[in-house]
C-alpha cells in the first residue's frame, strides 16, 4: 500500500536490533486518517470472507482494529496480556514471546466472545517473528472458530514469521512488507 | 447518554468490590457502532474547544479514543504503562494507582507528541477514583499544553474521583454516571 510505505519512509526510524520506530503515526501517536485508508484496504482484501469479528492484541493493534471494524460492521475483541480481576470465568489462553519487550507473556480471550460459528480476521500492527500472530491464531483454533486470515500493517519479511505461517496455510495480507533495514535504509519487497 | 445507560443495564454485570463488568461491549469485546455514537456525543460537548489531540491510556481507552478522533479530525496519543525499548529519548512520566489490577505503575508519553500549543481532550472508559485521569492530566501539565477536558464513558460517582477533580477545575463530561451499584443494582445519577 503506497500511502503506508511513503509514510514509513518519511516518518519511520530504524533503531538498533531491527526495531522500526513508527510511533509518530502507528503505535504511540496514531493517525486515524491513515488508519481509515488502511481499513478500506483490508476491506478490499477480505470483503468476501464474511468476517464476523476482528481479533487483535493489546495495546497498539486496538486502534487499527476498531477503525477496520467500522468498515466491516462487526465487533472487535482484543486479547489481553494478563489475567485481570475484570475477566471472570473461562478464557482461552496462549503464550507469546515478545520481540519488543523480551520475555514470555500470556494472552487471553474470554470464551464467551469467540464462538465456533465466528469467522475471525486478525488485525495487528507488526509481523516479525510471528509470535503474536501464532498466539492469536491458536486462540481461534481453541475456540473452534474459523480464521479467515490476518491483516497486518507492517511485515518485516526478513524475520521469517510470515513465511513460516504462510507455509502452514495462513492467509496473511501485509500492507507494507520490509525486506531489509540494513544500514538504517528501509527497503520494501 | 441514554443509549449507553441502556446498554449498561442490559449487558453490564456487577461484581464484588464495586467492579462493573462491561467487557461484552466496552473493554474486551468492543462495539464500534456504539463507540461512533459516543464519539458524536463527545464532539457535541467539546466541538468549540479547538481540540488538537486526544490523549488516552492503554489499553481499553484506545478504541474509543481512535473513533472519537475521527470525528474531531485529530491524532490520538496513548500513554504507555511501562517504558519499552521502542520509546527512545525524552518522555513525560507520571505514577498511577490501578483500581482494577492493584499496585502502582508508570505512564509515559514521548515529549515530541505533547507540545505547549496542544489543546488536549482526554478520553477514557472509566472514571472511579480518578487515578488514571490525574496521571494523564499531569502529563498534559508537564508539557505546558492545555487540558480542554475529559470525556469519560462511565463514571462511578460514588468513588469520588470526579468530584475531587471537578473541584480542582477540571471539566469532565461522563456519558453515564452511576451513583450506586448496591446489591448488584445499577442506579444512574
Amino acid at each position: 500500500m503506497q500511502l503506508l510505505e511513503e509514510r514509513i519512509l518519511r516518518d519511520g526510524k530504524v533503531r538498533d536490533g531491527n526495531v522500526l520506530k513508527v510511533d509518530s503515526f502507528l503505535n504511540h501517536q496514531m493517525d486515524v486518517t491513515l488508519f481509515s485508508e488502511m481499513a478500506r484496504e483490508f476491506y478490499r482484501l477480505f470483503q468476501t470472507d464474511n468476517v464476523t469479528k476482528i481479533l487483535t492484541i493489546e495495546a497498539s493493534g486496538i486502534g487499527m482494529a476498531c477503525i477496520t471494524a467500522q468498515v466491516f460492521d462487526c465487533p472487535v475483541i482484543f486479547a489481553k496480556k494478563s489475567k485481570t480481576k475484570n475477566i471472570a470465568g473461562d478464557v482461552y489462553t496462549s503464550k507469546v514471546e515478545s520481540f519488543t519487550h523480551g520475555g514470555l507473556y500470556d494472552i487471553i480471550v474470554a470464551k464467551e466472545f469467540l464462538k465456533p460459528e465466528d469467522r475471525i480476521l486478525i488485525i495487528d500492527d507488526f509481523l516479525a517473528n510471528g509470535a503474536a500472530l501464532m498466539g492469536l491464531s491458536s486462540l481461534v483454533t481453541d475456540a473452534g472458530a474459523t480464521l479467515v486470515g490476518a491483516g497486518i500493517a507492517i511485515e518485516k519479511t526478513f524475520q521469517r514469521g510470515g513465511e513460516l505461517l504462510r507455509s502452514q496455510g495462513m492467509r496473511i495480507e501485509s500492507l507494507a512488507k520490509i525486506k531489509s533495514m540494513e544500514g538504517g535504509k528501509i527497503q520494501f519487497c
Side-chain angles (χ1 to χ4, degrees), chain A:
Chain A
M1 187 189 181
Q2 199 179 344
L3 188 71
L4 180 59
E5 289 185 358
E6 286 170 0
R7 189 63 176 272
I8 293 166
L9 289 177
R10 195 184 85 190
D11 294 331
K13 292 181 179 73
V14 180
R15 296 279 184 256
D16 290 346
N18 280 328
V19 170
L20 174 64
K21 201 169 165 261
V22 286
D23 61 2
S24 66
F25 60 96
L26 198 69
N27 52 18
H28 182 25
Q29 181 165 259
M30 298 183 288
D31 180 343
V32 295
T33 307
L34 175 66
F35 285 11
S36 290
E37 294 298 326
M38 292 162 62
R40 267 192 278 269
E41 182 64 7
F42 287 133
Y43 188 70
R44 191 184 68 76
L45 292 161
F46 292 102
Q47 64 182 309
T48 60
D49 291 287
N50 302 314
V51 172
T52 62
K53 275 186 191 175
I54 287 176
L55 174 65
T56 188
I57 184 168
E58 63 171 283
S60 44
I62 297 176
M64 256 174 52
C66 281
I67 286 177
T68 302
Q70 287 186 307
V71 186
F72 281 88
D73 192 21
C74 73
V76 172
I77 327 165
F78 68 90
K80 302 198 174 195
K81 282 182 177 166
S82 68
K83 187 158 185 171
T84 78
K85 69 177 176 188
N86 265 346
I87 297 190
D90 282 348
V91 296
Y92 297 113
T93 181
S94 176
K95 286 204 184 299
V96 172
E97 192 176 350
S98 170
F99 173 73
T100 316
H101 303 252
L104 271 181
Y105 57 91
D106 289 308
I107 60 172
I108 56 169
V109 164
K111 287 187 178 174
E112 60 184 309
F113 304 132
L114 266 185
K115 296 292 182 189
E117 61 271 25
D118 275 321
R119 296 178 57 82
I120 303 294
L121 172 62
I122 294 174
I123 293 285
D124 206 2
D125 55 346
F126 272 100
L127 169 56
N129 60 17
L133 198 42
M134 267 180 255
L136 289 170
S137 158
S138 113
L139 299 177
V140 176
T141 305
D142 289 352
T146 303
L147 181 64
V148 159
I152 304 293
I154 303 174
E155 177 175 350
K156 298 171 180 169
T157 61
F158 57 91
Q159 287 186 269
R160 316 293 286 272
E163 187 181 343
L164 174 68
L165 288 164
R166 284 186 186 96
S167 77
Q168 295 170 357
M170 192 186 296
R171 179 178 172 201
I172 303 173
E173 303 283 358
S174 301
L175 303 188
K177 286 180 170 179
I178 295 174
K179 67 177 174 189
S180 167
M181 305 198 301
E182 269 174 50
K185 191 170 154 44
I186 297 165
Q187 290 192 301
F188 296 104
C189 292

